[in-house]
Amino acid sequence: MATDTTTDGPAAAHAAAAEQSPRGAKKRFLHDAAESVRDVDHRAFVRKALGGYYVTRDAQKARYGNWETARDAASLAKWSAVNRLDELLPRFADNFTANGGQVHWARDAEEAREIILGLVRAAKAKAIIKSKCMTSEEVHLNAALEQEGYGVVESDLGEFIQQLRGEPPYHFVFPCMHVRRGEISDLFSKHLGTAATDSPEELTMIARRHMRQLYVDADVGITGANFLVAETGQISITENEGNARLTAALPRVHIALAGIEKVVEHLDDLAVLLPILATAGTGQPMTCYNTLYSGPARPGECDGPEEMHLVLLDNSRTAILADPEQRDSLHCIRCGACLNVCPIFKNVGGFTYGTTYQGPIGSVITPHLRGLADWNHLSGASSLCGACTDACPVRIDIHHHLLHNRRNAARTAPNRWEKLGHKLFVAVATRPWLFATGGALFRHSLKLLKWLRPPLLSDWLATRDLPAAPAASFRAQWASRQGGR
Amino acid sequence: MSAPANLSPRSSRPGPSARDTILARVREALRIPAPPPHLKSLAAEEAAVPAAGQGHSGLSILPLEVARPWLPDGGDTPEERRAILVTNLEKLRAIVHQVPDLTAATELVFTLARERDWQRVAYHGHEKVDPLLAGIPCATHRVDAPGVHPASAKSALEACDAGISACEALVAQTGSILVSSATCGGRGLSIVPHVHLVVATPDQIVSTLGDALHEAQQRHAGRMPSMLSFITGPSRTGDIERILVLGAHGPKELIVILVG
C-alpha cells in the first residue's frame, strides 16, 4: 500500500524554527505558554489523560516493599555508572563488539546522522522501519533520511500518529497524549483511507494492520536503547507495543542509537531499573517487553538481523558530565514521571517548551545541549514546588538544578536591570526612613497603578486584579498592637 | 537516490577518531568527582558507605544473595512463587491454564486449536513443546527446522495463527516470562503471530527478575543468545487518550500453560 506520508502540522516547522533561531526561543515560549494556558479544553484533556496514571502508579508503588529504598538503589546504580563512564564505556563497547555487533561513536548530532546515513546507504535500504527513539528526535534523524530520499516509518503508535500529523512528540513517553480520538480517526482516513471510528481499539488495529507488511518489507530497522550493559555488552530496549521487538527481528540490518549516559555496569542492575522505570513511567509492574540484544543473530538461531550497529552519541552529554553539580541529570532514564506531575507542563503543554525533552528534566538539560543564554528561560518556567524531584525514580535533584541554571545564567550574562533592582532594594531596605517612605508611597500609588496601567504591568493586569492596599504599613500595625497590650 | 555509498563514515572527519575524542572528553569531565546521590533510606545509606570508600561499586554492594525486600515480593517458597505468578499474570490479562500433566496439556492445546479454528501454528522444537503438538488438528510450522530460507520464514510466520514455545523462566515478582532467541523461536515466534502460547513447568518459576537474569547468565555462560526478552502480558498501548488497548503490534493474547 502506498502511504501518503506528507505531513501537515505546524509544530515541526515550529520546532525547526526554534532550533534555527534560538534567540526567539524565549519569546515563542512566552507566547505559546499564554496561548496554551488560555485553552481550557486542552488543559482539561491533558489532566484527564494523566488522571489514570496517578492511580495506577500509586497502586503499583504500594506493591514495593519500600519504594524509597528502591529509588535509592536505582540512583546508586546510575550514579556509579555515570561516574565511571571512562571505564565502563570502553568495556561496554569491547563486549558489544565481541558479541558480533559494531560500535560507532558520534561526537555530535551531525556525525550521528552521517554514520546512520552511511549504514543505510551501505545496506542499500529500500524501506526503513523505526521504533520509538527520543535520541533520534534529538539529532533530527528522520529529516536527514527523508532528505536523502529514504522512506522511514515510525512504528510506535503514538510516534506514527505524530509522524502523520507532522508534529514532534508532545511528551517524550506519551507522544500523542494531546490528540483526541476523533482527530486520529480523521488522520487515518486521510492518510490510510480507513473508515471513521471513535474506538481506540479499532484505531489501534488500523495502525497494526498497516504496519504488519512494513516490518516484513523493511531492510533496516532503527531503534533506541534504554540501557547499555557493560559487563555483558548487551543493549536493553523497553517498550509496550512489541514494535521494537518486530523492528529488531525482521529487517536484515538493526541500527540502534543511544546516548553514552545509558551505560550501567551489571546485568543485575536491570533487576531494579526495569521495574522502577515501568512504575514511575506508566504505573506498570514491568513494561510489556524488556529485551536484551547482544548483536546480530547467532549461528544456529532461526531468524534475526545479519548486522547490528550501535551508534553511541555524545552531543554535549560530556558537557553535562563536566558539571559535577548537575552530573546527576545524566542519571535520567526518560520515564517521564517529572512531566506527569509538573504543574507547569500540565498548563503550558509539551509543545510550548520547543525542545526534544519536555518538562522539568528537559528544562534542566536543554540549556546544556543548546546553550544556556537561549534556553535559560525554561528554568524560570517552574514553581519550584519540587514535585519533579519527588517523582524522579533515580533521585535527580531536578528543581534545584533549575535554580543552578538560573544562577549560572546570572553569572555568565548578568541582567543589568535585575542587578539595578536588587541594588535599589538593598539601598531602600537598609535605610528604615527610606523604607517607610517608599512603603507609604507604594500603598498610595497602588490604585493609581491600576488606573494608569503602565506597560510593564499591563500583561499582568489583563487577567488579574491588584490587591487592595492596606490602610497602614505592617510596622505601624505591629506598633499599634504591641501598644494595645 | 543519493550520493555514492560512503562505506567508512567514521573516518569522514580529519583528526583524532570520534571514540578517542569522546573518551578524552569523558576523562576530562570526570576529573572532578560528584558526590553520591542523597539517599533517603537508611538501609541503602549503610550500603553506600563501602561503595563510596571503594571508588563507587554502586549496586554491586547489594549482591544477588542479599534479598531485596524493598522490591515487589516474589515469594520465598515454590507455592508462594506460583501463587504470586498466577495472580500477576491474570492482572496483566494473560490467560493462565494450570494442568496436572502432559496428557491434560495435550488435550488443552487440541481444544484451543479447534475452538479458535487455528489453521497453522508455528513452534520451536523443544522437549516441552513437541509432545503437545502430536495430535493438533492443524498444520504446524517448525521455525528452527534446518534449511528454512530466512526471507520465506518471515512470511510463513506471519501466516501462522499462533506461536508455541517454551520459555527460560517465569518471574513471580512481575508476572514476566523470559524467552530467548536460542530456545524460544528466535526473535519472531513470540512477537509475530497474534497469539503466543507458552508451555512451562512450575520448576521454572523464579522469585525475582534478578534471579532470572542470574540464571540466564549461568545457563548461557559467556555466550548469551542474541536476544533475551522479558514478556510481561500481551502487547499493549495507551497511546490513544491513555486508554489501554491490547494487541498493539505484538500478540493480542498471551496464553501460559503450566504443566504439573
Side-chain angles (χ1 to χ4, degrees):
Chain A
M1 191 193 332
T3 311
D4 176 12
T5 49
T6 51
T7 50
D8 39 25
H14 167 130
E19 189 130 317
Q20 275 154 23
S21 75
R23 298 279 159 198
K26 180 180 181 183
K27 215 173 145 190
R28 197 174 287 107
F29 178 87
L30 292 173
H31 172 265
D32 291 0
E35 291 289 314
S36 294
V37 168
R38 238 195 298 271
D39 189 346
V40 177
D41 285 349
H42 174 81
R43 278 160 55 196
F45 183 73
V46 167
R47 267 165 210 272
K48 185 170 170 254
L50 287 172
Y53 161 81
Y54 303 130
V55 177
T56 49
R57 177 203 58 185
D58 289 347
Q60 197 53 47
K61 269 162 75 167
R63 291 194 55 234
Y64 283 67
N66 187 334
W67 172 251
E68 295 305 320
T69 314
R71 288 174 73 197
D72 285 344
S75 69
L76 266 176
K78 286 295 292 186
W79 169 76
S80 135
V82 163
N83 283 282
R84 286 189 302 141
L85 266 188
D86 51 344
E87 167 202 338
L88 296 181
L89 256 182
R91 197 165 135 207
F92 166 78
D94 291 348
N95 285 334
F96 184 81
T97 311
N99 289 334
Q102 295 178 50
V103 178
H104 309 264
W105 302 73
R107 281 163 281 210
D108 49 38
E110 192 195 342
E111 195 165 26
R113 291 193 298 262
E114 277 170 20
I115 291 168
I116 295 174
L117 272 170
L119 293 169
V120 166
R121 281 186 206 120
K124 300 194 168 49
K126 290 184 195 71
I128 304 170
I129 192 104
K130 200 160 155 268
S131 71
K132 186 169 170 46
C133 171
M134 286 311 297
T135 316
S136 78
E137 299 281 341
E138 179 186 328
V139 305
H140 301 291
L141 180 63
N142 287 7
L145 289 168
E146 281 160 11
Q147 208 171 0
E148 294 270 319
Y150 293 105
V152 50
V153 179
E154 292 286 348
S155 57
D156 172 83
L157 178 59
E159 292 284 343
F160 178 58
I161 290 167
Q162 288 309 95
Q163 188 182 29
L164 291 181
R165 286 170 65 87
E167 287 179 342
Y170 178 94
H171 176 301
F172 61 71
V173 176
F174 312 140
C176 68
M177 66 175 294
H178 64 301
V179 187
R180 289 166 170 79
R181 62 183 84 175
E183 298 172 81
I184 298 170
S185 171
D186 291 348
L187 190 75
F188 285 178
S189 299
K190 182 181 164 194
H191 292 277
L192 310 177
T194 49
T197 171
D198 68 348
S199 147
E201 171 142 25
E202 185 46 37
L203 288 167
T204 304
M205 291 313 130
I206 290 172
R208 177 190 172 107
R209 284 193 293 271
H210 172 71
M211 217 66 79
R212 275 284 154 157
Q213 194 57 37
L214 301 180
Y215 291 116
V216 176
D217 293 342
D219 355 61
V220 173
I222 299 178
T223 69
N226 296 78
F227 303 101
L228 313 172
V229 184
E231 73 172 356
T232 58
Q234 292 167 302
I235 73 168
S236 174
I237 300 178
T238 295
E239 50 139 358
N240 265 314
E241 297 181 1
N243 60 308
R245 282 278 314 267
L246 287 160
T247 302
L250 302 182
R252 196 177 59 77
V253 178
H254 175 195
I255 303 172
L257 170 66
I260 52 173
E261 84 284 12
K262 300 279 184 206
V263 176
V264 294
E265 183 173 15
H266 301 291
L267 189 60
D268 182 49
D269 293 346
L270 300 187
V272 179
L273 290 167
L274 297 180
I276 213 165
L277 168 61
T279 301
T282 57
Q284 291 174 270
M286 276 278 269
T287 316
C288 199
Y289 299 101
N290 285 283
T291 311
L292 290 151
Y293 295 101
S294 58
R298 285 195 184 289
E301 292 181 353
C302 56
D303 59 5
E306 292 165 23
E307 290 172 34
M308 180 177 180
H309 301 269
L310 176 70
V311 181
L312 284 173
L313 178 71
D314 178 354
N315 207 30
S316 298
R317 283 161 177 78
T318 45
I320 305 179
L321 195 68
D323 179 354
E325 190 174 54
Q326 294 193 38
R327 191 175 292 162
D328 70 353
S329 59
L330 292 175
H331 297 186
C332 180
I333 54 175
R334 303 282 187 265
C335 68
C338 59
L339 283 67
N340 300 343
V341 300
C342 178
I344 307 298
F345 176 86
K346 283 187 273 186
N347 282 297
V348 306
F351 290 143
T352 300
Y353 291 86
T355 57
T356 306
Y357 306 102
Q358 310 80 9
I361 190 66
S363 300
V364 170
I365 62 176
T366 305
H368 293 273
L369 304 178
R370 297 192 191 169
L372 182 59
D374 301 320
W375 295 93
N376 177 49
H377 61 276
L378 296 180
S379 312
S382 164
S383 64
L384 298 178
C385 65
C388 46
T389 307
D390 280 346
C392 179
V394 288
R395 293 205 189 284
I396 302 170
D397 203 358
I398 301 174
H399 72 293
H400 284 112
H401 291 335
L402 294 173
L403 285 173
H404 297 145
N405 277 346
R406 291 186 198 180
R407 181 204 58 207
N408 296 345
R411 262 187 205 152
T412 49
N415 181 330
R416 276 194 300 151
W417 294 107
E418 221 173 79
K419 269 197 149 167
L420 190 71
H422 281 125
K423 268 190 185 154
L424 212 65
F425 178 77
V426 171
V428 172
T430 50
R431 293 172 179 82
W433 62 271
L434 199 58
F435 192 84
T437 320
L441 213 66
F442 189 68
R443 275 199 309 283
H444 289 108
S445 58
L446 258 182
K447 272 184 205 159
L448 201 66
L449 279 176
K450 195 171 181 176
W451 183 68
L452 280 174
R453 294 183 166 264
L456 261 174
L457 276 179
S458 61
D459 278 355
W460 176 267
L461 290 174
T463 52
R464 297 169 186 86
D465 285 330
L466 276 175
S473 74
F474 173 80
R475 293 199 298 176
Q477 292 184 43
W478 180 257
S480 76
R481 286 186 201 187
Q482 290 276 349
R485 220 178 242 175
Chain B
M1 188 188 290
S2 59
N6 177 2
L7 295 179
S8 54
R10 278 163 296 173
S11 58
S12 61
R13 285 186 199 187
S17 74
R19 177 189 163 114
D20 292 346
T21 310
I22 293 171
L23 289 176
R25 285 179 189 166
V26 167
R27 278 190 297 271
E28 176 64 28
L30 288 175
R31 277 171 52 190
I32 309 171
H38 303 290
L39 302 179
K40 296 282 163 60
S41 141
L42 190 66
E45 237 166 84
E46 280 168 359
V49 176
Q54 292 162 14
H56 338 295
S57 57
L59 255 196
S60 55
I61 40 92
L62 305 168
L64 260 173
E65 288 70 34
V66 178
R68 291 171 179 155
W70 29 273
L71 284 177
D73 186 22
D76 297 323
T77 64
E79 294 73 27
E80 273 176 27
R81 287 198 280 272
R82 181 175 185 146
I84 295 172
L85 174 79
V86 171
T87 310
N88 281 337
L89 280 170
E90 282 167 353
K91 269 193 210 155
L92 292 160
R93 303 228 238 150
I95 300 164
V96 187
H97 294 283
Q98 303 187 65
V99 295
D101 52 32
L102 205 62
T103 319
T106 314
E107 274 170 32
L108 178 64
V109 171
F110 181 89
T111 313
L112 284 170
R114 175 153 291 177
E115 276 176 0
R116 287 150 188 262
D117 196 23
W118 288 342
Q119 301 298 314
R120 193 176 168 83
V121 295
Y123 74 104
H124 187 120
H126 191 280
E127 55 183 25
K128 288 196 168 100
V129 175
D130 298 344
L132 304 188
L133 299 175
I136 195 164
C138 66
T140 56
H141 165 60
R142 183 172 168 174
V143 294
D144 61 323
V148 178
H149 191 265
S152 62
K154 286 185 202 173
S155 311
L157 195 54
E158 177 69 36
C160 290
D161 298 300
I164 304 179
S165 76
C167 66
E168 299 244 329
L170 303 125
V171 184
Q173 185 182 47
T174 54
S176 307
I177 295 157
L178 180 63
V179 298
S180 91
S181 50
T183 57
C184 314
R187 297 194 186 188
L189 180 74
S190 56
I191 199 73
V192 175
H194 295 211
V195 178
H196 181 204
L197 198 158
V198 179
V199 185
T201 46
D203 59 305
Q204 291 184 286
I205 305 173
V206 298
S207 178
T208 64
L209 289 168
D211 295 341
L213 288 166
H214 184 67
E215 248 191 45
Q217 254 173 316
Q218 301 278 308
R219 188 178 314 130
H220 303 286
R223 201 177 159 73
M224 286 283 206
S226 77
M227 185 202 81
L228 277 170
S229 188
F230 286 103
I231 299 174
T232 311
S235 157
R236 60 196 59 208
T237 185
D239 273 348
I240 299 172
E241 300 189 6
R242 308 294 321 131
I243 295 165
L244 178 67
V245 175
L246 298 185
H249 291 285
K252 229 173 152 53
E253 284 183 301
L254 176 66
I255 305 174
V256 181
I257 302 180
L258 216 47
V259 187

